[in-house]
Each structure stands twice: as C-alpha cells, then as structure tokens.
Amino acid sequence: MQRDYILRLIEELGSFLKTVFELRRRGQYQQAERLIDDQMMRMVGFGMTVADQFPAPTLVGMVRLGNVEERDQRMVAERMVVLGSLLQEGAEVDGDLGNERRRDERRIKALHVFLIALTEEPTAPRRAVASVDRLLEELAEFDLPADAKERLWQHFQQEGQFARAEDWLYELLEDDRAPDDTLERGLAFYQRLSALSDDVLAAGNLPRDEVLAGLAQLQERARERGE
C-alpha cells in the first residue's frame, strides 16, 4: 500500500506539472498560482503562503512532523521533493509575472529543500538531483546562503562528483558565514579522497595530483591560522 501510494504521488505530480505548464503557456498565470497553492496544501499539508513565510529547514521539519507516524521513510522523502518541486514551479510563475525577487527567493528555497532531502534522506528520489542541477544553473549569479553551500559540498561528495564538491568547499571557505570548523572538515575531505583509488578519483574529475594539491593548500591555510 505504501509503495502504491508513492507511485500515485509521483504520477499525480507529473500530471499536475503538465497542467501548470499548459496554463502558463496560455498566459493564465493567476490560475496556475492558485492551482499550485491548492496542490501544495493537499500534497504537503500547507500552502504557498506558509512556504514563503518560513525557511527551508522549518518547512522540512513541518513535512516530517506531519508524517511522524509514517513507517516508510520514502513517504517523507517523497513529500519533501514534492515540496521542492512545487516551490520551483511557483518560482517559474513568479518569473512569468515579472516578480523576479520572489522568483529567486523561491528558487533558493526549493534548492535548499532538495538538498536537505538528498543529504539527510537515503530514500530521496533521484529526480531531485536533476532539479538541483537545474536550479544551480538558474542561480549561477547568486551568492547562495552558507548552509546551501555546505549542503552542496556534501551532496556532490555523495554523488562522487569530487571536483564539484571541491568547488563548493572553496565557496564555503571564502564565506564569512561558514561554520568555524570548515577548514578542519575540508582537510578531512581531502584526506578521505586521498585514500580512494586513482580510478575513483578520475571518475569524480579530481585526479590524485589535484587532491594532493588541495590538501597542501588547506594545510598551508591551517598553518597560517596557527592550527
């Protein structure tokens, strides 16, 4: 029953997004907005007004709280990805309406929701990975929040995309809002990579010489800070 419900949820979302796309194509933006809000209320348990009011970790906590009795974590992870998808779709409608500020805010929040799902929920659906990549392209000119950079670093490590993980590690290191132990954890990141085989590192687009160079660079930073 749980599996059937998840499949229905996925199918329903796909059909719904096609309907929203058609409304947008016809210029019926307000109707698309109302439809997204109604669907979020029904599938997640709260509407877009609430989603706009609270940060992504709070919204994810609300999704988890609303599913506290669910034994199958796939249900929780699926609803988290549904939330991110609806935020992302709402952002597109905002763009259609010329509300670029809210569009960007919703895109960043959707990205954060997807990343929480991918880094904390082992059963998070894989389609969330493509959503992250798309949102990163759309937000390429933005300085993302430090927590999003942290989760992007974690996410690309998990995906075995070590070069992209390294990029976000350095974004985080240059961010004044980063956790105090970022340098220490960055050193541990390179040390973990150095224990992997050359083939695995090459598959992650970060060959061993670049791993060793990165490790040496962070060691030098640590020495300069007296650590």
Side-chain angles (χ1 to χ4, degrees):
M1 290 180 63
Q2 297 282 9
R3 181 178 180 275
D4 289 344
Y5 181 86
I6 292 169
L7 290 174
R8 286 200 302 273
L9 199 64
I10 295 170
E11 292 172 359
E12 184 178 339
L13 181 63
S15 176
F16 167 78
L17 293 179
K18 290 178 183 178
T19 300
V20 172
F21 176 81
E22 183 60 25
L23 289 172
R24 291 175 56 211
R25 190 184 66 81
R26 298 200 301 257
Q28 297 175 280
Y29 305 126
Q30 284 79 13
Q31 187 174 345
E33 274 191 313
R34 289 193 297 271
L35 201 60
I36 292 169
D37 186 64
D38 290 345
Q39 191 77 349
M40 181 177 288
M41 180 68 74
R42 194 169 69 82
M43 297 180 77
V44 181
F46 50 83
M48 194 64 81
T49 300
V50 171
D52 286 334
Q53 185 176 355
F54 294 101
T58 301
L59 298 177
V60 168
M62 292 166 64
V63 170
R64 286 174 170 153
L65 184 63
N67 293 273
V68 70
E69 296 182 358
E70 297 285 2
R71 294 183 180 181
D72 193 335
Q73 284 300 110
R74 291 176 300 172
M75 299 280 288
V76 177
E78 189 63 54
R79 284 195 174 102
M80 289 166 63
V81 173
V82 166
L83 169 61
S85 299
L86 293 175
L87 280 167
Q88 190 175 11
E89 199 63 27
E92 296 308 306
V93 176
D94 283 327
D96 294 334
L97 291 168
N99 192 341
E100 295 182 359
R101 177 177 178 180
R102 194 168 69 175
R103 178 199 65 192
D104 297 335
E105 289 173 349
R106 285 179 173 173
R107 281 177 173 173
I108 291 171
K109 190 170 293 187
L111 174 66
H112 203 166
V113 168
F114 286 129
L115 289 170
I116 293 174
L118 288 166
T119 56
E120 295 187 9
E121 298 291 335
T123 59
R126 295 297 299 168
R127 68 180 187 279
V129 175
S131 295
V132 166
D133 288 339
R134 174 184 165 189
L135 284 163
L136 284 177
E137 290 180 4
E138 294 169 340
L139 295 167
E141 297 181 1
F142 284 80
D143 183 22
L144 297 175
D147 188 50
K149 295 175 184 177
E150 172 88 38
R151 289 187 183 276
L152 283 162
W153 176 33
Q154 295 175 24
H155 166 62
F156 287 118
Q157 287 183 68
Q158 291 177 187
E159 292 295 303
Q161 298 184 43
F162 303 130
R164 295 182 75 180
E166 181 184 56
D167 290 342
W168 285 106
L169 167 61
Y170 278 93
E171 288 281 343
L172 192 60
L173 285 167
E174 299 303 321
D175 195 321
D176 293 337
R177 304 160 296 176
D180 293 338
D181 65 345
T182 300
L183 179 57
E184 178 183 349
R185 290 184 296 115
L187 287 165
F189 163 71
Y190 282 117
Q191 289 163 351
R192 288 195 301 273
L193 292 186
S194 65
L196 300 177
S197 70
D198 289 344
D199 288 344
V200 172
L201 294 176
N205 292 316
L206 197 66
R208 187 168 302 279
D209 60 337
E210 294 184 21
V211 171
L212 296 177
L215 177 60
Q217 184 174 346
L218 292 202
Q219 288 172 334
E220 179 61 27
R221 285 198 187 197
R223 283 192 291 269
E224 290 173 357
R225 287 174 46 173
E227 296 183 5

